[in-house]
Amino acid sequence: MNDKKTAASPSTTPPTRRQVLKHAVGVGAGLATAHLLGGEASAAPRAPRAPRVRSRSFTTSDGVALNYLEAGRGKPLLLLPGWSQSAALYESQILAFARRYHVFVLDWRGHGESDKPAHGYRMARFSKDLYEFLRGLRLKNVTALGHSMGCGALYSYWSNYGGRFLDRLILVDVGPAMTVWPDWSEEERIEAGALFTPEALYSTAASLRGPDGIAATQGLVASLFSPDYPADRLAAVVEENLKLPREHAAKLLVDQAAQDWRDTIPLIDVPTLVIGGEASIFSPISQEWVADQIPGAELIVFAASEGGSHFMFLENPEKFNEDVLSWLG
């Protein structure tokens, strides 16, 4: 696997493709994220006019209205949020990617602006929702980017539907098995990216749905960011997180974290980019393991100094957007 690294070119040489991308979309993307998460926008050259983002709705076979955002034209690029996250957190990526692609961003059931039904908070149903969404909108040759649980939904999709409608994958920072088995070695635990013992998983879920669920959510979300991430922007992420009712969030966390995708990942046979973070809760070793299982997959690991937390796409959207666009070609 080849790690990509950003290198500044001497001022006497022509600009690299990466620098052109940075000028074209990175600045505007960074400003968009600052706007979304309540931060100050730094002084920068005026960006090109932002693509128009439209909010739409799709209804699943069991009657749940799923909100999704749409922008741009061209080949379809689908962005899938993680556990308890909303489509709104991808605003920086939407504005950057929609200059070259037809971007779709899905709010999972219960999340963001989607309906909040009392049922369906499991990976199998999420992958069915995804299948129905792609089929219903007649999307083909889709590049799908999933962050955290969004990867789990893609793994479940691959297990149930293979690569139907999918052309390329971008898998952003999740361990292939989040809950450790008692007989695992330490090496196996690290490669799997395991975070929980079974007891710790259910204890965390109970805290989320208990009387102090908001405080538990705040602590959990904070652990996913670098310590110096601005407090006002972190609060905005928590606010989006809480749009998923805590009872549903707890059930979904248990189902997500109980999955072991190590037998599914090697079945993936489309071009794939894996992205991890040096300071993420998921060890970079686990992301290397994922990339090693998929023929020809490429691996990018954000350094801690580059905002390489679990949410690197929020901490360093300019580099994230640039790396993704460079890989897409």
Side-chain angles (χ1 to χ4, degrees):
M1 301 300 119
N2 296 320
D3 292 359
K4 290 185 180 179
K5 298 182 180 179
T6 303
S9 297
S11 58
T12 56
T13 61
T16 64
R17 182 175 186 175
R18 174 166 291 193
Q19 289 171 323
V20 172
L21 286 171
K22 181 183 293 186
H23 177 73
V25 300
V27 172
L31 292 174
T33 295
H35 175 267
L36 171 68
L37 300 183
E40 293 290 335
S42 59
R46 182 180 297 273
R49 185 175 179 178
R52 179 172 173 241
V53 181
R54 300 169 294 278
S55 179
R56 303 190 186 281
S57 182
F58 171 82
T59 302
T60 65
S61 61
D62 61 343
V64 177
L66 301 181
N67 176 72
Y68 69 95
L69 304 179
E70 181 181 1
R73 298 177 65 181
K75 294 181 179 179
L77 173 57
L78 173 66
L79 310 181
L80 300 172
W83 171 83
S84 209
Q85 298 169 37
S86 72
L89 295 184
Y90 276 129
E91 183 179 7
S92 167
Q93 285 67 49
I94 297 170
L95 297 181
F97 301 158
R99 300 188 189 283
R100 290 169 50 185
Y101 293 92
H102 193 171
V103 176
F104 299 85
V105 194
L106 183 65
D107 270 333
W108 300 113
R109 63 175 58 212
H111 293 64
E113 307 309 315
S114 290
D115 283 354
K116 323 291 182 190
H119 62 280
Y121 296 97
R122 54 183 58 88
M123 289 292 91
R125 180 66 234 193
F126 277 36
S127 67
K128 185 173 183 179
D129 289 347
L130 176 56
Y131 174 78
E132 291 178 356
F133 177 78
L134 294 174
R135 185 183 62 182
L137 270 64
R138 299 182 179 180
L139 298 178
K140 297 179 180 180
N141 301 317
V142 176
T143 296
L145 182 156
H147 172 245
S148 197
M149 187 202 70
C151 296
L154 286 170
Y155 295 152
S156 181
Y157 182 98
W158 202 276
S159 180
N160 290 321
Y161 307 105
R164 190 170 184 187
F165 309 131
L166 300 179
D167 188 52
R168 293 182 289 188
L169 298 181
I170 302 171
L171 306 172
V172 185
D173 204 50
V174 77
M178 292 174 59
T179 302
V180 66
W181 286 61
D183 60 346
W184 281 3
S185 67
E186 181 65 8
E187 179 181 5
E188 192 170 13
R189 183 192 69 79
I190 293 173
E191 283 190 342
L195 304 177
F196 300 104
T197 63
E199 295 80 6
L201 173 58
Y202 280 94
S203 176
T204 301
S207 296
L208 288 171
R209 72 179 188 179
D212 297 322
I214 293 179
T217 300
Q218 291 170 332
L220 181 58
V221 172
S223 73
L224 306 178
F225 285 84
S226 300
D228 59 352
Y229 192 69
D232 58 338
R233 300 189 188 188
L234 183 63
V237 175
V238 171
E239 183 178 352
E240 290 299 311
N241 204 271
L242 291 172
K243 289 182 177 180
L244 173 63
R246 296 298 85 187
E247 178 71 22
H248 303 332
K251 185 171 184 178
L252 180 59
L253 177 65
V254 169
D255 188 83
Q256 170 199 359
Q259 306 296 327
D260 184 345
W261 301 112
R262 292 177 299 170
D263 60 340
T264 299
I265 293 170
L267 302 178
I268 296 172
D269 59 1
V270 296
T272 300
L273 173 64
V274 180
I275 301 177
E278 184 181 37
S280 172
I281 54 169
F282 296 107
S283 165
I285 295 174
S286 68
Q287 303 311 293
E288 183 178 356
W289 185 93
V290 172
D292 284 344
Q293 306 310 304
I294 303 171
E298 185 172 347
L299 172 67
I300 298 174
V301 175
F302 280 56
S305 61
E306 296 173 319
S309 73
H310 186 53
F311 278 89
M312 78 290 289
F313 69 93
L314 288 180
E315 295 206 29
N316 193 345
E318 184 177 277
K319 172 176 164 52
F320 184 91
N321 298 347
E322 183 185 327
D323 283 338
V324 168
L325 286 170
S326 180
W327 182 79
L328 289 173

